[in-house]
Amino acid sequence: MPQETTTSGTGQASGAPAAADLHAVLQRFYAEQMQLLDSGATQEWAQTFTEDGVFAASGQPAPVRGRSAIAAAARAAREQLDRAKVVHRHWLGMLTADPRADGSVLARCYALVIATPHGGDPAIHRSTICEDVLVPANGSWLVRERAVTRDDMAHG
Amino acid sequence: MPQETTTSGTGQASGAPAAADLHAVLQRFYAEQMQLLDSGATQEWAQTFTEDGVFAASGQPAPVRGRSAIAAAARAAREQLDRAKVVHRHWLGMLTADPRADGSVLARCYALVIATPHGGDPAIHRSTICEDVLVPANGSWLVRERAVTRDDMAHG
Amino acid sequence: MPQETTTSGTGQASGAPAAADLHAVLQRFYAEQMQLLDSGATQEWAQTFTEDGVFAASGQPAPVRGRSAIAAAARAAREQLDRAKVVHRHWLGMLTADPRADGSVLARCYALVIATPHGGDPAIHRSTICEDVLVPANGSWLVRERAVTRDDMAHG
């Protein structure tokens, strides 16, 4: 994901109510998005991406392109989890979000996947960085681009 | 916990300042509530429930009813941890909170219990879903109903 | 860190927009601060402390005093991680922040260090309490005092 110029940063703007509101609103957006995924509502989850959304993840051969392909990939992953009797919870945190001149937002956060087998102990399955380009839509946000980088595959 | 109609959702409303404020205020509420519990202030922790508050948790035979019973249960759990020389930290995250027509709020979040034995390594003790009915009180909030569902006991 | 009188608490004030804004703004501040540290920008990370900032951590023989000493300590820790081929992610959460009469803020949160070895599985390296005195600077905040207490070294 290119490091583009943003319209706000650490300075003056991040103390403003608008920046605070955006931070809280995006936390809510991510909470809702991940609750959908983790509860198996993969179709609804895919609706939080744009129609032409792209999902790239380290460890996957190629980015997944388009909402229906994203939905299908999530469904397949879910069915595998169900067969393995494992519950996944996606925790996103340590979010920074910077509006860009075109109205989109560049968001960067940490993401953990907590895996709990039926009758077993929870453990951290993955620790990752999640970088999104978010675009406004219908009073909320949609993900146009997502890049997930696994810490275990990060360059030394 | 019944899925009731809420007055806001993913759409227009969640971008509004009021929704952003509620999100931040409830995060603060939960942070304070859990800091009380984890620091052993079980009596003060119980004060964050209504007098007739109900705490239901998967893995427990029956819900705990009423503030004083909730306080007693927390105190007993704490004494057991102290004897075992284990520190618990409750992390709540991925919060969604929706106001309802009656002024209460339906909140849903993920909750982890991180356990660290004296001189040992931390580990995730539990991964759960926490669903609350919150009611306004004295400018803050109280929990009227809490339902905690453990991921290890979730239905496949 | 002394328990000083704060100008707001659980009550009326914590429902106010100003308190909500502060909560969101400080979450953003911590996210940015920890992203700097974890990405190896230790010099920029040290700039989030005051020139005379103090960093005290249980398990260390003495507090680190002053921005340049803080930067040097962070750089040394980073180089050790790089040699060990381990990625650290600092997660801060469960934040409470209370303004004090002098304009500073007393912040308390939980902090986890998630460690992921190259090619290996993530695990919780540390579970801690982080207590900060924050002071306003250039529209953002700086850490004047930080005290980190490890749960594994906490008194039973």
Side-chain angles (χ1 to χ4, degrees), chain A residues 17-73:
Chain A
D21 283 352
L22 178 66
H23 193 86
V25 162
L26 291 183
Q27 285 185 319
R28 160 73 193 226
F29 169 77
Y30 283 119
E32 205 155 311
Q33 188 187 45
M34 291 304 147
Q35 287 193 17
L36 287 173
L37 180 62
D38 295 335
S39 65
T42 48
Q43 200 66 44
E44 292 80 357
W45 177 75
Q47 298 293 323
T48 64
F49 289 80
T50 59
E51 186 63 45
D52 63 349
V54 178
F55 190 131
S58 56
Q60 296 190 337
V64 180
R65 294 182 183 280
R67 192 186 273 164
S68 61
I70 289 170

Side-chain angles (χ1 to χ4, degrees), chain A residues 28 32 35 38 89 118-119, chain B residues 10 94 97-98 110 151-152:
Chain A
R28 160 73 193 226
E32 205 155 311
Q35 287 193 17
D38 295 335
R89 301 292 175 206
H118 188 82
Chain B
T10 321
M94 308 310 286
D98 294 297
Y110 294 175
D151 286 348
D152 60 311

Side-chain angles (χ1 to χ4, degrees), chain A residues 8-127:
Chain A
S8 80
T10 319
Q12 205 70 28
S14 63
D21 283 352
L22 178 66
H23 193 86
V25 162
L26 291 183
Q27 285 185 319
R28 160 73 193 226
F29 169 77
Y30 283 119
E32 205 155 311
Q33 188 187 45
M34 291 304 147
Q35 287 193 17
L36 287 173
L37 180 62
D38 295 335
S39 65
T42 48
Q43 200 66 44
E44 292 80 357
W45 177 75
Q47 298 293 323
T48 64
F49 289 80
T50 59
E51 186 63 45
D52 63 349
V54 178
F55 190 131
S58 56
Q60 296 190 337
V64 180
R65 294 182 183 280
R67 192 186 273 164
S68 61
I70 289 170
R75 172 49 42 197
R78 174 68 186 201
E79 287 168 0
Q80 198 178 347
L81 283 178
D82 286 349
R83 281 192 300 271
K85 296 191 193 302
V86 173
V87 172
H88 274 189
R89 301 292 175 206
H90 287 76
W91 282 70
L92 272 59
M94 308 311 285
L95 170 70
T96 57
D98 293 297
R100 301 193 295 182
D102 67 358
S104 67
V105 164
L106 200 58
R108 188 178 195 268
C109 66
Y110 294 174
L112 298 177
V113 183
I114 310 292
T116 309
H118 188 82
D121 292 324
I124 305 175
H125 177 62
R126 294 273 183 264
S127 174

Side-chain angles (χ1 to χ4, degrees), chain B residues 33 45-56 62-71 73 132-135 142-147:
Chain B
Q33 188 187 45
W45 177 74
Q47 298 293 324
T48 64
F49 289 78
T50 60
E51 186 63 45
D52 63 348
V54 179
F55 191 131
V64 180
R65 295 183 182 280
R67 193 185 271 163
S68 60
I70 289 171
D132 280 353
V133 176
L134 301 167
V135 293
L142 295 174
V143 179
R144 197 175 64 200
E145 297 173 51
R146 171 163 293 177

